[in-house]
Amino acid sequence: MRSLGGAERRFAEQAEPVRRDPAPSRLAYRMDRLWLTPMFRLAVRVGLPFVLAVSLVGGYLADDARRAGIAKSLADLRESVETRPEFMVKLMAIDGASAPVATAIRKMLPVALPASSFRLDLEALRAEIEQVDAVASAELHIRKGGILQVTVRERQPAILWRTEAGLEMLDATGHRVATLLNRAARPDLPVIAGEGADARVGEALALLDAAEPIRDRIRGLVRVGERRWDIVLDRDQRILLPETKAIEAVQRVIALDQAEDMLGRDLTIVDLRNQNRPTIRIAADANAELTSLETGVTGQ
Amino acid sequence: MTDLYQSQRAMRNMRRAAMQRGVVAILDVGTSKIACLVLHFDGPEEMREDGLGSLAGQSQFRVIGAATTRSRGVRFGEVDAMAETERAIRTAVQAAQKMAQTRVDHVIACFSGASPRSYGLAGDIELHDGQVSEQDVARVLAACDVPDFGAGREVLHAHPVNFAIDHRSGLGDPRGHVGNRLSADMHLLTIDTTAVENLLYCIKRCDLEIAGLASSAYVSGLSSLVEDEQELGAACIDMGGGSTGLSIFIKKHMIFADSVRLGGDHVTSDISKGLQVPLATAERIKTIHGGVHATGMDDREMIEIGADCGDWEKDRRQVSRTELIGIMRPRVEEILEEVRALLDAAGFDQLPSQQIVLTGGASQIPGLDMLAARILGQNVRLGRPLRVQGLPQAATGAAFASTVGLSLFAAHPQDEWWDFEIPAERYPARSLRRAVKWFKDNW
């Protein structure tokens, strides 16, 4: 028994494990060569995943209902983020605007408050607010606590422009501020008239500044033929200014007035349009009196 | 003959295609190992100012993959068991491809067996118009009278060695010379058709295209002879596992090649028989302790030869190194004697310089050069293959002489007969007529 066991063991020792053939099989060799082919390698490593991904996604999205579902869930997600309390605008604060302007601005807000700040196009709203004549510029931002802060700089009326339609208030740049029903409501503002006068408000203001010494006599400025100014004084007097160097002409008139009290005399027109030849027109009564003085003959 | 001529031409075209693709495999089918290199061609490098390139102009290719496997199914350098050989080639090619990380489709192969035989051919023609043209070169090569080398043999190499015009001999390139008679000498190497067909079949089974074939004796001469040895005359003895190749070079042309069907494996089998050890053990003992010159020291150097049979007496055997040398030396002497006989038959003693270069795996036996000097002549040296770019350190030894030589052959093949133009009168008239007919039919 024992010897048999020993013999078995020896037999087992002698039988070596079958050595594997180191050579690749024909198939393995061919696959290996195929895998080492550059184009094939590229196709498998790049092309195949790409085609798979595209076809999977495409196949999933080919169904209309699925596409709609995805769009809806995206919209829902967006909605839920937008309507979070952190993004809600609850009220609107307007600074620097008078009561009627503020009311007008409140009416312009396209959505009813409270609304999500994502729904508010501040830039468009600002542009719209700046369309209001009385508003020079507006600044909008959303303050902490959900407040839409509107800071408005209003236009300051500098002059009144009388037209056939009525009386308009203009600011220093000539932009309309508001319509005035009654001249007496703003006695502090000078009046200009004439077509195209609103485009030359700056000139008018400069002329008025230059004519400061006779300010209390000035009734207003008239733009003549859209090219030059007339200064209209009380007692139906009128100073005709040239197109160019109007300010110097005014200074000249004032100098004459201060030296000779020219405007205090009985004349109707001081014509400075030709600066080489300033001309005055004497009033009709004074003219007659002057004639009689010269001839020594009275009409009676 | 014409078939082989055509197939060699086809191989040259294949080689050109492989060069264009830039990757070609080198396959050395030997008796003891099969080596495969994957070469990458970068295109011709630009010449330096002095007209020379780096690495003697061999740097236009790089070895990007190298693999060696134990050969199976090859005996005496010839395919013995087809399936085994095919598997061994597959192993080597796959490993080299894996290292190179690229696929190789074209292979240039060499083998040592198939009993190569050399012939010297001569031919001469009258020149029609005084000056030698390419057609004249083709005609003179065609005029060489081919000896009857028998059925079942094919031409492997056909090198034009020398051209002579009238009485001026030693011309390398006769084109443009003026004269009346042009004569050419050609060296023809024939091999057994069946042996080479078996090898080609094995390579085809591995899905590879043959881009060239070479005799390993020739290519190991290319790699281990230095330039002046090739110029002045030298013999390269490639001592492989199953056969020993001999090639004689002069004026940079091979003029003779032959092989002895004895090699290192016979030494191993002698040791195996003499010491009664398995072949693997005998091979190990040969490579570690082998030699051919016994000294007094070797009597005292005892080698454990061991065994695994369970008998203590047998498992504890020892031999002295002298005994081992006593077994090896007669066989090595026999190989060298055979080579000597071949050299004598080839008229090697007529050459101006009689340098002998020993290379191949079996040339690494210590003391072989002294023994060879006694038998072959005084000018003996051990040769190692040229360094090529990217070759792994493990493949730079003498055993890889023919592998490296084949790489050089792949990069710069010598002009062979089939690289020249086909003489005009050899074009078959029928093909012209067929071409005309084709045009008539289709237009």
Side-chain angles (χ1 to χ4, degrees):
Chain A
M1 200 59 199
R2 188 176 161 75
S3 65
L4 191 65
E8 265 177 6
R9 206 185 66 224
R10 283 220 23 216
F11 183 70
E13 271 176 6
Q14 275 177 355
E16 284 183 15
V18 180
R19 288 189 61 183
R20 212 178 55 79
D21 190 353
S25 69
R26 231 170 127 72
L27 184 69
Y29 174 77
R30 283 202 171 145
M31 293 318 287
D32 194 55
R33 280 169 66 79
L34 186 64
W35 180 236
L36 285 172
T37 310
M39 282 312 289
F40 179 80
R41 221 177 151 111
L42 192 73
V44 170
R45 287 168 66 165
V46 179
L48 196 65
F50 182 74
V51 167
L52 266 181
V54 165
S55 59
L56 277 180
V57 171
Y60 183 76
L61 291 181
D63 189 7
D64 277 341
R66 284 205 198 111
R67 270 207 306 273
I70 289 174
K72 188 175 179 312
S73 65
L74 278 178
D76 285 352
L77 183 68
R78 192 185 161 90
E79 183 69 29
S80 71
V81 171
E82 281 180 355
T83 54
R84 284 180 70 82
E86 290 88 342
F87 298 126
M88 295 301 279
V89 172
K90 289 190 237 13
L91 49 96
M92 189 177 188
I94 299 173
D95 280 355
S98 54
V101 175
T103 315
I105 290 175
R106 275 181 205 289
K107 279 183 188 160
M108 282 175 187
L109 197 64
V111 288
L113 295 179
S116 167
S117 57
F118 288 96
R119 300 277 168 76
L120 289 173
D121 186 354
L122 294 187
E123 197 53 39
L125 190 56
R126 189 179 73 84
E128 202 179 339
I129 288 173
E130 285 183 352
Q131 292 293 311
V132 176
D133 285 332
V135 175
S137 69
E139 205 176 285
L140 275 80
H141 62 267
I142 292 169
R143 240 166 49 192
K144 211 158 75 175
I147 297 167
L148 176 60
Q149 173 72 44
V150 183
T151 311
V152 173
R153 206 162 53 76
E154 282 202 354
R155 288 186 197 282
Q156 294 303 316
I159 212 158
L160 299 178
W161 181 35
R162 186 176 290 283
T163 60
E164 285 178 8
L167 202 57
E168 304 277 3
M169 281 198 284
L170 305 181
D171 72 349
T173 62
H175 197 282
R176 177 185 172 277
V177 177
T179 306
L180 202 63
L181 296 176
N182 186 4
R183 168 76 177 93
R186 295 299 298 266
D188 55 323
L189 297 180
V191 181
I192 57 173
E195 254 176 63
D198 56 335
R200 300 298 183 113
V201 170
E203 268 179 37
L205 288 174
L207 285 176
L208 286 169
D209 273 353
E212 190 60 38
I214 53 167
R215 182 66 189 267
D216 50 344
R217 291 203 53 203
I218 295 178
R219 299 282 303 277
L221 299 180
V222 177
R223 184 80 175 160
V224 179
E226 290 194 44
R227 58 186 174 86
R228 61 175 200 85
W229 293 99
D230 277 2
I231 300 178
V232 179
L233 305 176
D234 53 359
R235 291 204 281 119
D236 286 340
Q237 287 185 336
R238 199 176 257 257
I239 304 170
L240 278 56
L241 298 176
E243 273 175 65
T244 56
K245 298 191 176 173
I247 297 207
E248 283 85 337
V250 169
Q251 285 166 348
R252 223 167 139 188
V253 169
I254 287 170
L256 278 172
D257 182 43
Q258 284 171 347
E260 308 277 349
D261 188 22
M262 180 178 71
L263 295 176
R265 304 188 187 210
D266 195 5
L267 44 89
T268 54
I269 285 172
V270 180
D271 187 352
L272 294 166
R273 287 175 295 182
N274 185 345
Q275 60 181 355
N276 293 328
R277 199 188 61 174
T279 314
I280 56 169
R281 185 189 299 166
I282 298 170
D285 296 349
N287 201 12
E289 194 174 336
L290 192 61
T291 311
S292 67
L293 278 178
E294 277 177 355
T295 53
V297 179
T298 59
Q300 276 81 23
Chain B
M1 179 81 183
T2 320
D3 278 355
L4 183 96
Y5 186 89
Q6 296 301 342
S7 72
Q8 292 274 22
R9 267 187 173 245
M11 276 187 210
R12 279 302 155 95
N13 288 334
M14 201 70 83
R15 178 187 159 272
R16 214 162 295 132
M19 292 281 157
Q20 237 160 29
R21 191 179 284 191
V23 176
V24 68
I26 294 298
L27 193 65
D28 174 18
V29 183
T31 315
S32 59
K33 66 160 175 36
I34 290 182
C36 177
L37 301 183
V38 179
L39 304 186
H40 182 259
F41 286 87
D42 307 318
E45 60 163 359
E46 63 264 36
M47 285 290 178
R48 293 186 319 207
E49 280 175 10
D50 51 5
L52 297 173
S54 54
L55 286 173
Q58 304 295 354
S59 64
Q60 63 165 273
F61 65 85
R62 235 166 351 108
V63 179
I64 56 171
T68 312
T69 185
R70 199 185 66 172
S71 182
R72 293 183 289 167
V74 182
R75 286 178 67 206
F76 304 119
E78 294 161 17
V79 178
D80 185 49
M82 302 281 282
E84 287 286 297
T85 311
E86 184 202 326
R87 256 178 244 146
I89 291 174
R90 228 156 49 197
T91 314
V93 170
Q94 192 184 32
Q97 277 184 153
K98 189 174 178 187
M99 180 172 164
Q101 277 297 305
T102 183
R103 178 196 166 118
V104 197
D105 288 322
H106 299 95
V107 67
I108 298 181
C110 79
F111 53 93
S112 58
S115 48
R117 212 172 294 157
S118 279
Y119 298 91
L121 271 56
D124 59 349
I125 53 160
E126 294 284 344
L127 291 175
H128 295 314
D129 49 354
Q131 205 168 25
V132 181
S133 65
E134 305 226 345
Q135 271 300 317
D136 292 324
V137 176
R139 273 173 52 227
V140 73
L141 292 180
C144 288
D145 44 351
V146 178
D148 179 21
F149 37 67
R153 294 195 64 85
E154 293 223 42
V155 179
L156 181 63
H157 293 293
H159 294 140
V161 174
N162 183 29
F163 290 98
I165 296 176
D166 296 339
H167 296 291
R168 285 176 294 140
S169 183
L171 299 175
D173 182 359
R175 284 173 301 172
H177 281 256
V178 178
N180 298 317
R181 277 191 89 73
L182 177 67
S183 56
D185 297 318
M186 193 148 72
H187 172 238
L188 202 71
L189 192 71
T190 63
I191 45 163
D192 269 342
T193 312
T194 49
V196 73
E197 271 176 359
N198 287 343
L199 178 66
L200 294 190
Y201 180 73
C202 284
I203 294 174
K204 283 258 162 58
R205 289 265 298 166
C206 296
D207 306 334
L208 297 167
E209 300 270 8
I210 305 279
L213 266 182
S215 155
S216 88
Y218 169 54
V219 292
S220 52
L222 283 184
S223 74
S224 46
L225 297 184
V226 297
E227 207 161 329
D228 51 332
E229 286 171 343
Q230 285 183 10
E231 179 71 33
L232 297 174
C236 174
I237 296 167
D238 179 9
M239 306 180 70
S243 66
T244 297
L246 164 71
S247 56
I248 300 178
F249 281 74
I250 192 165
K251 291 198 167 180
K252 298 196 177 156
H253 288 290
M254 177 173 70
I255 55 164
F256 181 80
D258 207 333
S259 80
V260 180
R261 287 162 79 85
L262 285 171
D265 283 356
H266 297 88
V267 180
T268 306
S269 77
D270 283 352
I271 295 171
S272 168
K273 287 170 192 162
L275 302 180
Q276 301 205 328
V277 287
L279 273 175
T281 315
E283 179 73 26
R284 187 172 57 80
I285 291 173
K286 180 184 83 170
T287 51
I288 296 175
H289 304 285
V292 287
H293 276 288
T295 60
M297 177 72 174
D298 294 331
D299 285 333
R300 280 168 278 136
E301 190 180 332
M302 301 306 285
I303 303 164
E304 294 270 355
I305 55 176
D308 200 17
C309 63
D311 179 356
W312 195 87
E313 288 292 339
K314 194 177 180 196
D315 287 358
R316 284 287 166 272
R317 279 178 303 161
Q318 286 185 325
V319 290
S320 69
R321 186 158 180 249
T322 311
E323 279 178 86
L324 177 66
I325 288 171
I327 295 172
M328 288 174 70
R329 181 164 172 143
R331 180 62 86 169
V332 177
E333 278 180 346
E334 185 194 352
I335 297 172
L336 293 176
E337 295 283 0
E338 292 278 344
V339 171
R340 170 83 210 178
L342 288 182
L343 284 177
D344 286 345
F348 183 61
D349 49 350
Q350 307 294 321
L351 293 191
S353 156
Q354 294 171 20
Q355 179 74 45
I356 287 169
V357 177
L358 295 170
T359 187
S363 74
Q364 298 171 51
I365 304 173
L368 180 72
D369 46 345
M370 287 164 69
L371 183 62
R374 275 192 204 166
I375 297 173
L376 301 175
Q378 285 305 311
N379 285 334
V380 173
R381 71 172 182 95
L382 292 178
R384 290 161 63 83
L386 200 78
R387 290 300 191 89
V388 292
Q389 221 178 349
L391 194 68
Q393 181 63 37
T396 52
F400 290 85
S402 55
T403 316
V404 174
L406 196 56
S407 320
L408 305 184
F409 172 80
H412 296 287
Q414 210 165 358
D415 281 345
E416 304 211 27
W417 181 28
W418 33 85
D419 293 322
F420 293 93
E421 278 187 18
I422 299 175
E425 56 260 37
R426 286 291 181 90
Y427 273 118
R430 205 164 62 85
S431 68
L432 254 179
R433 235 176 280 141
R434 263 169 58 195
V436 171
K437 184 172 180 294
W438 185 86
F439 268 98
K440 270 186 186 163
D441 291 350
N442 289 282
W443 296 82

